[in-house]
């Protein structure tokens, strides 16, 4: 039987598929997870792909309905309707991918020549003897200088504490990790040098263990921020820390313990030990940064929200309780201003948004959403308190993106169609699903532009008010029915309204409109898997052609890794922070008005209500 070679990009999965298979069949065979809300019936329009080369069957009536003439012209097809008739190369937009492996550590893969700040050197020393009575540290520094031509003047005190016995155990042949003239770790030669990158989010922590020799990420892990038990948002946590020094210490301890546990787990995964980590880079918003370092936060919690420090910091990891190599450092990238911190610098670095051409809008969506507008090398940023609704919190049946979470929703002819992660019975709804649900309810006329739920067969009264039934109890595998409540919609409106306000006011500050935007970069675990079309439909995102949007995953994590691997990238981060200008949203006279308008749902992308 004839077969065709199908190449799915940019996921990079390709292989042979028998003739007669649809692109959807081919995607499934090759492990490309394409969204199918309607079960391949050609009615949801969510399996949109772009054919870059090759011949396919004629477009069907369903495709003519779901795709615009321009999209058809540009090679867009519905994967469930299109049948290859030759070898094909197909682009799968991020929007079309299902979220099976969704974690908070996914990000762009990075390729950068390692240019580490901590450099390993093999040192062979002459043993101590009656004819050579130099102290061990002098012997080590001397050998580095004379044998390896490494300018070195100091050995960290904790390294020294363990050095004498080890030098003898290792027969005077060691690997010395030298950072700017100081020995920060010793190991037997050769030892893999590891570094740890951490994106310290308000809700989630993403961490990456990187091999410094080649820049490869060896292991990664995401966990919930253990501080959540002491307040879901920044303000609540800052208030807690301001309350008493012991509460501040508790918050710091929680996050440090969490990081030590992750570091140990990641190292165990590859048969290494935390002590093999010679440096860490931690990025977070200004509040997370200050709580992690035990810095005062009172001034950050009250107007005009001033940081204690904004420049990059190099600290001994032990000074903050991080358990890595004895003399290892933790580097913190610079903060920008207000709550816009080092994580935003890392995001701009990791996504390359800071060098984008034209007018670039960069969004890092989370409990706190940072928005930057980049133009001609100038960067203006704001911070929006979008709250945890996008993470599934404060939503009646909200959950994180895990198997059974509804990740995509559509209303087709008044009937609900949905897709769960891993295709198992629905147990709740995650951020992308709730955004989709809101868009579907709005487009289906179930809610109006104020977000109010009207009369509809799916709407019912419950104790907490009106709610829309997404999944009945029977369908939910015996669990509770899954609904979207009026209160959920209000939470989402607040979240999307806060974000859109930031976008509008930034544009206003430059005298631009959303039509001037040449590229929109969306970072963050939630932002990477939302349907951009749904975001546009409810007015969360500006109404622009879909090809102007790029969803880049955890770019802050990518930026943190770059700053670990490369001294040049670390310098670029410094330069990004220096040129970024923080704008306080409350200073705009139009803030309240813009926020009120941004709460409306509408498709035009204009924040002004109809
Ligand atoms: S899966 Fe193709 S249109 Fe729904």
């Amino acid at each position: 039987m004839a077969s065709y070679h199908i190449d799915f990009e940019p996921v990079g999965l390709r292989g042979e598929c028998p003739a007669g298979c649809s692109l959807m069949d081919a995607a499934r065979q090759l492990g490309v997870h394409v969204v199918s809300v309607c079960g391949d019936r050609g009615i949801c329009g969510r399996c949109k792909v772009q054919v870059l080369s090759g011949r396919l069957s004629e477009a069907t009536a369903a495709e003519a309905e779901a795709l615009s003439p321009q999209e058809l012209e540009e090679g867009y097809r519905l994967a469930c309707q299109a049948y290859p008739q030759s070898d094909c190369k197909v682009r799968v937009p991020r929007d079309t991918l299902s979220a099976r492996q969704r974690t908070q550590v996914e990000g762009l893969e990075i390729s950068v020549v390692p240019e580490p700040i901590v450099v390993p050197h093999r040192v062979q020393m002459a043993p101590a003897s009656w004819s050579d009575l130099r102290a061990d540290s002098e012997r080590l520094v001397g050998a580095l200088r004379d044998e390896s031509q490494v300018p070195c003047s100091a050995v960290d005190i904790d390294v020294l504490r363990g050095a004498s016995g080890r030098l003898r155990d290792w027969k005077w042949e060691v690997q010395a990790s030298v950072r700017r003239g100081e020995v920060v770790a010793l190991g037997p030669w050769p030892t893999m040098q590891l570094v740890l990158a951490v994106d310290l989010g308000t809700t989630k922590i993403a961490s990456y263990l990187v091999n410094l020799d080649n820049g490869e990420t060896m292991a990664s892990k995401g966990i919930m921020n253990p501080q959540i038990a002491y307040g879901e948002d920044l303000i609540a946590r800052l208030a807690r820390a301001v309350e008493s020094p012991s509460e501040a210490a508790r918050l710091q301890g929680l996050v440090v313990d969490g990081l030590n546990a992750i570091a140990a787990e990641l190292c165990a995964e590859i048969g290494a030990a935390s002590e093999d980590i010679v440096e860490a880079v931690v990025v977070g918003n200004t509040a997370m940064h200050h709580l992690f370092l035990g810095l005062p936060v009172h001034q950050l919690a009250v107007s005009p929200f001033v940081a204690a420090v904004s420049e990059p910091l190099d600290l001994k990891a032990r000074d903050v309780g991080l358990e890595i190599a004895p003399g290892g450092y933790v580097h913190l990238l610079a903060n920008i201003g207000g709550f816009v911190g080092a994580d935003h610098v890392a995001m701009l670095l990791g996504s390359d948004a800071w060098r984008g051409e034209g007018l670039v809008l960069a969004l890092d969506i989370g409990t706190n959403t940072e928005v930057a507008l980049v133009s001609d090398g100038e960067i203006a940023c704001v911070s929006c308190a979008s709250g945890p609704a996008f993470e599934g919190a404060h939503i009646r049946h909200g959950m994180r993106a895990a198997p059974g979470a509804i990740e995509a929703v559509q209303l087709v002819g008044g009937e609900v169609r949905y897709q769960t992660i891993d295709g198992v019975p629905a147990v709740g709804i995650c951020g992308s699903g709730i955004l989709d649900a809101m868009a579907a309810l709005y487009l289906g006329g179930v809610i109006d532009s104020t977000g109010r739920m009207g009369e509809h067969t799916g709407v019912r009264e419950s104790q907490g008010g009106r709610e829309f039934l997404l999944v009945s109890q029977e369908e939910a595998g015996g669990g509770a029915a899954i609904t979207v409540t009026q209160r959920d919609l209000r939470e989402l409106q607040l979240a999307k309204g806060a974000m859109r306000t930031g976008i509008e006011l930034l544009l206003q500050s430059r005298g631009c409109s959303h039509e001037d935007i040449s590229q929109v970069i969306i970072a963050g675990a939630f932002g990477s898997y939302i349907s951009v079309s749904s975001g546009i439909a409810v007015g969360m995102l500006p109404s622009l052609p879909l090809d102007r949007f790029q969803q880049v995953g955890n770019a802050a994590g990518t930026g943190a890794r770059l700053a670990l691997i490369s001294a040049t990238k670390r310098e670029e981060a410094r330069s990004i922070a220096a040129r970024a200008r923080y704008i306080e949203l409350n200073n705009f006279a139009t803030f309240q008005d813009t926020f009120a308008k941004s709460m409306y749902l509408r498709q035009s992308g204009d924040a002004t209500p109809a």
Side-chain angles (χ1 to χ4, degrees):
M1 189 184 198
S3 67
Y4 302 125
H5 186 81
I6 315 293
D7 180 353
F8 289 100
E9 296 295 338
V11 280
L13 290 168
R14 54 191 72 96
E16 301 298 313
C17 289
C21 276
S22 68
L23 278 179
M24 182 68 96
D25 297 330
R28 288 194 181 115
Q29 279 181 31
L30 297 171
V32 183
H33 303 300
V34 169
V35 178
S36 166
V37 177
C38 67
D40 299 3
R41 288 157 60 201
I43 44 184
C44 71
R46 289 296 298 274
C47 60
K48 202 184 282 186
V49 294
Q50 188 179 23
V51 178
L52 303 176
S53 65
R55 273 181 298 109
L56 291 106
S57 55
E58 287 295 311
T60 63
E63 290 178 283
E65 189 152 322
L67 302 166
S68 68
Q70 190 187 340
E71 284 176 322
L72 286 167
E73 179 77 15
E74 289 172 5
Y76 281 92
R77 300 293 301 265
L78 295 180
C80 68
Q81 302 291 300
Y83 290 76
Q85 294 178 343
S86 72
D87 295 348
C88 292
K89 189 169 183 176
V90 179
R91 186 180 78 86
V92 187
R94 192 93 189 204
D95 227 18
T96 301
L97 282 176
S98 159
R100 277 155 208 262
Q101 280 94 39
R102 188 184 311 181
T103 68
Q104 53 268 34
V105 294
E106 288 172 5
L108 297 174
E109 254 329 300
I110 42 179
S111 162
V112 63
V113 179
E115 203 190 325
I117 285 150
V118 182
V119 183
H121 297 279
R122 175 175 177 265
V123 189
Q124 180 69 67
M125 283 166 273
S129 67
W130 285 112
S131 58
D132 183 355
L133 293 172
R134 286 176 302 164
D136 290 341
S137 73
E138 204 183 324
R139 189 177 305 278
L140 175 62
V141 168
L144 273 165
R145 187 187 52 233
D146 301 335
E147 309 294 323
S148 312
Q149 283 75 51
V150 178
C152 180
S153 55
V155 182
D156 173 80
I157 185 66
D158 273 0
V159 173
L160 265 184
R161 286 186 177 119
S164 295
R166 289 173 158 188
L167 290 178
R168 286 159 182 82
D169 288 347
W170 296 330
K171 311 275 185 257
W172 304 96
E173 183 191 27
V174 298
Q175 174 170 295
S177 299
V178 180
R179 184 189 195 275
R180 294 180 174 148
E182 179 189 7
V183 177
V184 295
L186 279 183
W189 172 265
T191 302
M192 189 185 346
Q193 285 214 126
L194 296 170
V195 282
L196 182 72
V198 177
D199 173 22
L200 189 53
T202 311
T203 304
K204 294 167 181 166
I205 299 176
S207 50
Y208 309 82
L209 191 63
V210 179
N211 178 347
L212 199 50
D213 301 329
N214 56 16
E216 191 188 326
T217 301
M218 308 289 290
S220 58
K221 187 174 172 62
I223 61 163
M224 299 305 281
N225 186 328
Q227 292 175 336
I228 282 180
Y230 294 83
E232 280 187 353
D233 57 37
L234 289 182
I235 301 300
R237 261 177 253 174
L238 291 182
R240 191 101 187 192
V242 168
E243 213 176 281
S244 75
S246 64
E247 286 301 291
R250 187 198 304 272
L251 288 170
Q252 186 196 20
L254 279 170
V255 87
V256 169
D257 290 349
L259 292 185
N260 284 333
I262 300 182
E265 269 179 53
L266 290 176
C267 287
E269 240 178 74
I270 62 160
S274 299
E275 205 179 312
D276 299 330
I277 300 173
V278 293
E279 177 130 316
V281 161
V282 176
V283 301
N285 62 49
T286 316
M288 290 299 104
H289 170 281
H290 278 38
L291 291 174
F292 169 62
L293 294 182
L295 289 169
V297 290
H298 182 264
Q299 79 297 337
L300 189 59
V302 295
S303 173
F305 312 109
V306 174
V309 61
S310 60
E311 59 262 37
L313 295 174
D314 279 308
L315 306 168
K316 283 289 179 187
R318 60 180 174 248
D319 289 347
V320 287
L322 267 193
E323 292 160 2
I324 59 171
Y329 282 77
V330 55
H331 177 81
L332 293 110
L333 300 187
N335 293 315
I336 294 177
F339 291 132
V340 183
D343 54 347
H344 201 55
V345 173
M347 179 268 191
L348 292 166
L349 177 72
S351 64
D352 242 2
W354 71 293
R355 303 193 234 247
E357 284 180 11
L359 191 63
V360 179
L361 180 70
L363 308 164
D364 198 349
I365 307 178
T367 307
N368 228 57
T369 295
E370 288 91 21
V371 186
L373 198 61
V374 184
S375 169
D376 296 331
E378 275 183 34
I379 306 167
C381 321
V382 296
S383 168
C384 318
S386 40
F390 291 144
E391 320 263 8
H394 294 185
I395 300 297
R396 172 93 160 270
H397 293 107
M399 65 178 285
R400 67 185 184 84
I406 297 175
E407 58 168 340
V409 179
Q410 289 226 323
L411 270 188
V412 182
E415 247 185 70
V416 179
R417 307 264 178 214
Y418 64 88
Q419 176 171 307
T420 62
I421 295 179
D422 281 354
V424 298
V427 289
I429 184 161
C430 65
S432 61
I434 193 81
L435 177 66
D436 254 18
M438 186 192 222
L441 295 182
Y442 174 55
L443 296 175
V446 181
I447 56 177
D448 64 18
S449 65
T450 68
R452 206 182 67 83
M453 222 176 252
E455 302 298 329
H456 186 276
T457 47
V459 175
R460 64 188 193 185
E461 293 292 339
S462 75
Q463 277 188 337
R466 290 195 158 186
E467 60 181 20
F468 183 88
L469 183 67
L470 277 183
V471 184
S472 67
Q473 194 169 5
E474 304 77 64
E475 219 182 318
I482 299 168
T483 60
V484 177
T485 68
Q486 182 68 70
R487 198 171 294 166
D488 294 342
L489 293 170
R490 292 291 177 230
E491 285 286 339
L492 277 172
Q493 274 181 279
L494 285 170
K496 79 106 191 161
M499 200 174 113
R500 189 60 196 268
T501 303
I503 297 172
E504 289 302 317
L505 293 180
L506 263 183
L507 287 168
Q508 221 179 76
S509 73
R510 278 200 68 87
C512 301
S513 94
H514 67 266
E515 277 130 19
D516 300 320
I517 299 170
S518 46
Q519 194 188 5
V520 182
I521 292 174
I522 307 178
F526 163 75
S528 294
Y529 286 99
I530 58 166
S531 154
V532 170
S533 312
S534 293
I536 291 173
V538 299
M540 182 177 95
L541 297 170
S543 183
L544 291 167
L546 293 182
D547 60 4
R548 289 198 208 168
F549 291 84
Q550 198 194 348
Q551 292 164 280
V552 294
N554 187 343
T558 304
R561 281 181 285 166
L562 287 173
L564 263 175
I565 301 165
S566 156
T568 302
K569 290 289 170 188
R570 200 175 284 195
E571 199 44 46
E572 280 178 9
R574 184 191 291 271
S575 141
I576 291 170
R579 71 174 65 183
R581 184 168 55 96
Y582 168 68
I583 303 178
E584 174 54 50
L585 285 177
N586 288 311
N587 287 347
F588 284 88
T590 51
F591 173 72
Q592 288 301 345
D593 189 42
T594 308
F595 183 58
K597 288 172 179 169
S598 297
M599 292 274 288
Y600 282 84
L601 314 181
R602 51 182 283 115
Q603 293 183 64
S604 75
D606 189 328
T608 311

